Amino acid sequence: MSRTVIRGGLVVTAAEETAADVLVEDGKVAALAASGSECARGWTADRTIDATGKYVIPGGVDGHTHMEMPFGGTFASDTFETGTRAAAWGGTTTIVDFAVQSQGHALREGLDAWHLKASGNCAIDYGFHMILSDVNDSSLKEMDLLVDEGVTSFKLFMAYPGVFYSDDGKILRAMQRASVNGGLIMMHAENGIAIDVLVEQALAEGRTDPRHHGEVRKALLESEATHRAIQLARVAGAPLYVVHVSAKEAVAELARARDLGLPVFGETCPQYLFLSADNLAEPGFEGAKYVCSTPLRPVEHQAALWRGLRTGDLQVVSTDHCPFCFTGQKELGRGDFSKIPNGMPGVEHRMDLLHQAVVDGRISRRRWIEIACATPARMFGLYPRKGTIAPGADADIVVYDPRAQQTLSAATHHMNVDYSAYEGKRVTGQVETVLSRGVPVIDRREYTGRAGHGRFLTRETCQYLI
Ligand SMILES: [Zn+2]
């Protein structure tokens, strides 16, 4: 039996902050006791971690990543191996990635393919959502089987006609099924049919630069789709989780639905909180680094997102990590923004950027843990195994130095991508040590993990229905 004690830190969970020592036994949290108390002093251990002056927080749960995701004729540049290693460096100990159903193929085929990519390669634990690209009688039946296997959430797209797109009838059918089998429908809410018309018109008029990616993917077409998804979910009697919310008008749709008491949830991402359409307009072809969908918005949208995170109208911050190298990948869209692979790197920086928001007074420490650890764990059926520090939970624990200074840069990050979206940004706070099920993955800023340590997580259904 292996025992580790973490002594002298401030344990921060979504619920409370306490000066406590944490006893870890065989990969699980065994006990917490007030630092210096007789009880804590009595613990013996093989290993003691001194967390004096540090925070002791649950490992981050990133509910939205795309390792090795095929897109636009290329693949996201992080594999499950490099991407989960980078996640660990940034204090994230669980990812939920997306297995993809191709049109004309079974869900099972897609899920098997993603198991093959991930199995034996991950440094931290991982689960899968299933992307539904082809809603029909047989894929609807397969949804039930996947829920039983712990793949309990399904992503649909109102965008990308001809690739991932589902029309309203297909969306309604999937939602009806989810309302019976307990699956959670995740929605990419953008009116892709209308967007494609605007893309064609822009290109025909010679508006081909990266910034036009943001201009044609209009905020109104995000809010319209968000509204429509909410109404379809109401008709089906299903809960709804809207991914990567970026427009203030979309936040307003979510807020209105929640004011009606509907089980409607929203996620945003650091890129929408910290970056803006100004980045898309950077000179030359630099803006391509920031092409993702939904797109970065004019800077005034940020305030609505922060407000949503404070009021609870937005519940989760995930990364939508989907990196493509500038050289050779983003460059596919030189002269035609519609050919720039959609996605940005970020899995390594989410915990730090949100800690910076704590330092800046935008959110509290407990809200930081809530939106980055506890709520995503609940939303995706992993709580309290993940997302908190409590007896019985997996010992996924981060010792976090709230005073360390760092500068984000491609020269120092661990993601397999040749640029940083936050190049030169200074942040306060840094991960010092990371345990995954009690095993050190990062030890005082050294990588000690290994590919294959991470296990596939079978998830319960959504535990967050209010
Ligand atoms: Zn995504």
Side-chain angles (χ1 to χ4, degrees):
M1 188 154 59
S2 88
R3 286 160 65 104
T4 300
V5 181
I6 305 168
R7 294 204 188 270
L10 180 70
V11 176
V12 184
T13 66
E16 56 190 353
E17 305 182 357
T18 44
D21 294 356
V22 182
L23 177 65
V24 171
E25 223 168 60
D26 287 339
K28 295 207 178 282
V29 176
L32 288 90
S35 294
S37 64
E38 208 171 317
C39 171
R41 286 205 312 268
W43 291 338
T44 55
D46 311 300
R47 179 164 195 246
T48 300
I49 298 172
D50 179 10
T52 308
K54 311 286 162 58
Y55 299 157
V56 177
I57 60 174
V61 177
D62 190 341
H64 191 155
T65 67
H66 299 281
M67 308 304 174
E68 300 180 56
M69 163 92 168
F71 191 96
T74 186
F75 287 84
S77 58
D78 262 319
T79 62
F80 279 89
E81 181 171 353
T82 63
T84 57
R85 191 166 60 212
W89 272 105
T92 286
T93 52
T94 301
I95 60 164
V96 190
D97 205 274
F98 290 84
V100 179
Q101 176 202 22
S102 305
Q103 286 190 342
H105 294 263
L107 300 188
R108 172 71 50 201
E109 268 179 69
L111 185 58
D112 286 352
W114 257 259
H115 272 302
L116 274 177
K117 289 176 203 250
S119 177
N121 291 322
C122 293
I124 55 166
D125 290 350
Y126 62 98
F128 290 127
H129 314 285
M130 188 82 221
I131 287 178
L132 295 180
S133 311
D134 198 351
V135 176
N136 56 44
D137 289 345
S138 82
S139 54
L140 288 168
K141 283 197 193 108
E142 280 193 281
M143 282 174 77
D144 302 355
L145 302 174
L146 263 57
V147 169
D148 291 341
E149 289 176 27
V151 176
T152 56
S153 37
F154 301 89
K155 187 179 180 191
L156 291 155
F157 289 78
M158 302 168 97
Y160 304 124
V163 189
F164 299 125
Y165 174 80
S166 292
D167 66 26
D168 292 351
K170 290 183 174 177
I171 289 168
L172 182 65
R173 291 185 78 196
M175 285 174 165
Q176 287 171 329
R177 196 78 180 199
S179 77
V180 176
N181 67 27
L184 178 65
I185 296 294
M186 307 169 76
M187 189 62 74
H188 179 131
E190 279 189 299
N191 186 328
I193 301 284
I195 285 168
D196 276 12
V197 171
L198 298 178
V199 169
E200 239 176 75
Q201 291 169 349
L203 294 175
E205 291 162 14
R207 292 183 280 125
T208 61
D209 293 344
R211 71 188 164 92
H212 297 292
H213 168 84
E215 286 171 13
V216 298
R217 304 189 84 92
K218 293 187 180 300
L220 284 174
L221 296 177
E222 182 187 341
S223 64
E224 182 276 326
T226 304
H227 177 83
R228 186 156 36 100
I230 292 167
Q231 306 315 319
L232 291 168
R234 288 175 84 174
V235 169
L240 174 70
Y241 178 92
V242 181
V243 297
H244 50 53
V245 174
S246 68
K248 62 180 192 295
E249 295 87 347
V251 179
E253 292 292 345
L254 293 169
R256 196 169 307 135
R258 292 182 58 79
D259 286 349
L260 293 173
L262 299 171
V264 169
F265 313 106
E267 155 199 287
T268 191
C269 312
Q271 54 268 36
Y272 307 118
L273 296 165
F274 291 92
L275 303 172
S276 75
D278 293 346
N279 297 99
L280 274 171
E282 284 179 12
F285 190 60
E286 292 292 298
K289 294 175 178 175
Y290 308 94
V291 165
C292 58
S293 296
T294 58
L296 302 188
R297 302 289 180 195
V299 72
E300 61 266 23
H301 289 259
Q302 290 175 356
L305 299 175
W306 287 117
R307 191 169 57 244
L309 286 172
R310 282 197 297 274
T311 61
D313 286 325
L314 297 173
Q315 292 78 31
V316 171
V317 176
S318 302
T319 60
D320 197 6
H321 175 75
C322 191
F324 297 97
C325 286
F326 185 73
T327 302
Q329 293 194 297
K330 289 290 189 180
E331 283 181 332
L332 294 169
R334 267 193 202 277
D336 179 350
F337 68 83
S338 74
K339 294 201 166 57
I340 300 169
N342 284 204
M344 283 177 52
V347 74
E348 188 169 347
H349 299 317
R350 183 182 64 127
M351 298 299 287
D352 288 333
L353 287 167
L354 292 176
H355 180 260
Q356 183 62 46
V358 174
V359 172
D360 294 342
R362 292 183 180 280
I363 52 172
S364 69
R365 276 192 296 234
R366 278 173 286 164
R367 186 66 176 150
W368 170 44
I369 301 307
E370 191 164 34
I371 62 183
C373 310
T375 301
R378 281 199 172 96
M379 194 69 72
F380 301 122
L382 291 166
Y383 196 89
R385 188 173 164 196
K386 305 295 189 189
T388 192
I389 298 177
D394 282 356
D396 290 6
I397 298 174
V398 175
V399 177
Y400 195 84
D401 182 348
R403 276 172 287 275
Q405 302 282 326
Q406 56 169 324
T407 303
L408 306 184
S409 170
T412 49
H413 74 202
H414 303 85
M415 299 176 285
N416 183 40
V417 61
D418 62 359
Y419 73 95
S420 173
Y422 303 98
E423 188 65 44
K425 185 175 176 61
R426 294 181 55 76
V427 295
T428 299
Q430 191 171 48
V431 168
E432 187 172 285
T433 291
V434 178
L435 304 182
S436 165
R437 281 180 276 104
V439 177
V441 184
I442 304 291
D443 186 354
R444 286 159 288 181
R445 305 276 327 139
E446 264 183 56
Y447 182 70
T448 53
R450 66 175 176 86
H453 165 79
R455 291 184 193 152
F456 173 68
L457 297 165
T458 57
R459 297 182 289 114
E460 307 290 318
T461 53
C462 178
Q463 300 157 315
Y464 193 93
L465 290 175
I466 49 166

